[in-house]
């Protein structure tokens, strides 16, 4: 168990063994690079970035034990020892019988939602992550978000702001008919909703409602270990349970799970789909073999599977989880003290800045989140991501923007990568952002693809703003 020795400073519970240099750039260089990237930081090359908070996905630093597992990986096509180990670690954690390895989370989503989705089907979630929504919509089905009301009020404190609104769930089931609901998906923690946790009670309620109506209940478990930390520290009855047991209890309430191993499995690539139902697993296995690979590797190398198995064990270490959650909170609290509006309470893997509030002089149609992302980059070389109307905005029949519920900028913290001084630097960049704020202008989209436009869209500053 965790060693609480009475010190205020929470040190990184690891030593640095290998280092990767950061290229320091000037503001002038960054202005040119951003222009060439069409004001879309996804189009920058990573050596143009000083502190990369674009995502916590696949950006973890692996442990010495994971790296030694990389050498030990068994690359057999069928029945690899590394697969056996990954399968048994996941089966043990989730309790599900059928484990399908995939090259990342969205491959598991494509396989599952491609199988159970299609025209006329409706999916309900606390909040569908962007790839989840895209895979559901691509199948022809509809994705509806039903978070609790508090989730949409950035400064409203709620211990489990990631919860799904069970009253709306029952209403939706009544309106749509249980038969047309493909699945209810609980995203833990709720990534697009601010990295906010979901309570065990909420999962229990969702589980009960789904079982009453014969609806499939899927856990999007990318950050299930981080979610367990919040349950243990905020929900009654869990303070004596291990983080792993909390996670196991949550899995036991669902019929299956999808996980991107690039998050809480502490690896750079990988994912899986875990299912209890044999027939559904058989259909998914067919698609897996056609599109990912044979059932004992999916889209993964043996070495990846070895590292995933180890990562899924390491992530539940109490000292790691304490450092992880408290260091994210450290950045959040510093920003709050400076007067930067952020989603509260601070979530697990990221700090979400309310760009609509911070850049209230920029109209939503001119994407205040994109403006903040561009400023963070030019001012300090910090790369963040807009989670607002660029990512989730829709268009009405006349082509006018239907804005997203919130205009957020996410500062995602890679796992075990940055130290406290890197975070202090980010805080200083925000000081300059605040000072420069009134000069910043909005953006317009000049080119975009039909799906997931935030990755490749081209922007231009709105002149005279
Ligand atoms: C990252 C993520 C996914 C997709 O996983 P990839 O490995 O990026 O394909 C799905 N759901 C949530 C909640 C995620 O955070």
């Amino acid at each position: 168990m965790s060693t609480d020795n009475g010190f205020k400073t929470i040190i990184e519970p690891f030593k640095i063994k290998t280092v990767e240099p950061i290229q320091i750039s000037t503001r002038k260089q960054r202005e040119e690079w951003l222009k060439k990237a069409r004001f879309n930081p996804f189009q920058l090359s990573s050596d143009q970035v000083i502190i990369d908070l674009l995502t916590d996905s696949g950006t973890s630093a692996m442990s010495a034990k994971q790296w030694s597992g990389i050498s030990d990986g068994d690359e057999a096509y069928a029945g690899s020892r590394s697969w056996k180990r990954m399968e048994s670690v996941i089966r043990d954690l989730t309790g599900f019988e059928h484990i399908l390895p995939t090259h990342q989370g969205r491959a598991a989503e494509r396989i599952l939602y491609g199988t159970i989705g299609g025209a006329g089907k409706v999916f309900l979630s606390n909040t569908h992550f962007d790839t989840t929504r895209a895979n559901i919509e691509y199948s022809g089905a509809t994705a509806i978000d039903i978070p609790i009301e508090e989730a949409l009020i950035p400064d409203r404190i709620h211990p489990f702001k990631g919860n799904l609104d069970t009253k709306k769930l029952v209403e939706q089931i009544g309106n749509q008919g249980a038969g047309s609901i493909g699945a209810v998906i609980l995203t833990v923690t709720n990534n697009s909703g601010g990295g906010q946790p979901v309570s065990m009670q909420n999962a229990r309620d969702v589980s009960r409602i789904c079982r009453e109506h014969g609806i499939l209940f899927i856990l999007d478990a990318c950050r299930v270990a981080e979610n367990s930390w919040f349950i243990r520290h905020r929900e009654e009855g869990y303070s004596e349970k291990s983080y792993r047991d909390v996670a196991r209890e949550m899995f036991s309430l669902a019929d299956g799970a999808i996980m991107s191993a690039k998050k809480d499995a502490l690896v750079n690539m990988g994912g899986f789909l875990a299912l209890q139902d044999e027939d559904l697993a058989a259909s998914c296995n067919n698609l897996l073999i056609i599109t990912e690979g044979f059932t004992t590797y999916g889209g993964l190398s043996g070495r990846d599977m070895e590292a995933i198995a180890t990562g899924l064990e390491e992530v539940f270490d109490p000292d790691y989880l304490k450092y992880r959650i408290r260091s994210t909170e450290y950045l959040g609290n510093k920003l709050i003290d400076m007067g930067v509006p952020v989603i509260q309470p601070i979530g697990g893997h990221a700090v979400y800045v309310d760009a609509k509030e911070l850049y209230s002089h920029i109209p939503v149609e001119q994407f205040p989140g994109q403006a903040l992302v561009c400023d963070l980059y030019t001012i300090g070389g910090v790369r963040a991501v807009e989670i607002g109307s660029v990512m989730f905005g829709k268009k009405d029949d006349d082509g006018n923007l239907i804005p997203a519920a919130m205009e957020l900028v996410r500062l995602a913290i890679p796992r075990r990568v940055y130290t406290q001084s890197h975070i202090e630097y980010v805080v200083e960049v925000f000081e300059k952002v605040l000072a420069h704020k009134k000069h910043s202008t909005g953006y317009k989209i000049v080119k975009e693809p039909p799906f997931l436009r935030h990755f490749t869209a081209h922007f231009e500053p709105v002149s005279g703003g």
Side-chain angles (χ1 to χ4, degrees), residues 163-235:
N163 283 354
L164 179 146
D165 189 329
T166 48
K167 223 175 111 212
K168 287 199 186 125
L169 175 60
V170 173
E171 270 168 33
Q172 284 284 350
I173 294 170
N175 295 344
Q176 313 278 355
S180 60
I181 297 185
V184 175
I185 304 161
L186 210 46
T187 311
V188 298
T189 57
N190 189 4
N191 185 356
S192 312
Q196 298 290 330
V198 174
S199 70
M200 193 69 81
Q201 188 56 50
N202 192 243
R204 222 177 274 131
D205 292 341
V206 169
S207 176
R208 178 179 41 77
I209 294 165
C210 286
R211 281 184 188 165
E212 272 168 24
H213 293 88
I215 295 169
L216 194 71
F217 173 23
I218 298 293
L219 216 56
D220 182 340
C222 296
R223 296 175 184 79
V224 70
E226 292 172 7
N227 201 80
S228 296
W229 191 92
F230 289 107
I231 288 178
R232 187 172 149 189
H233 294 273
R234 290 185 186 167
E235 192 164 355

Side-chain angles (χ1 to χ4, degrees), residues 98-100 273 275-286:
H98 307 282
I99 316 296
L100 287 69
L273 170 60
L275 293 166
Q276 196 53 31
D277 184 80
E278 189 169 351
D279 294 337
L280 180 56
S283 309
C284 290
N285 260 324
N286 283 336

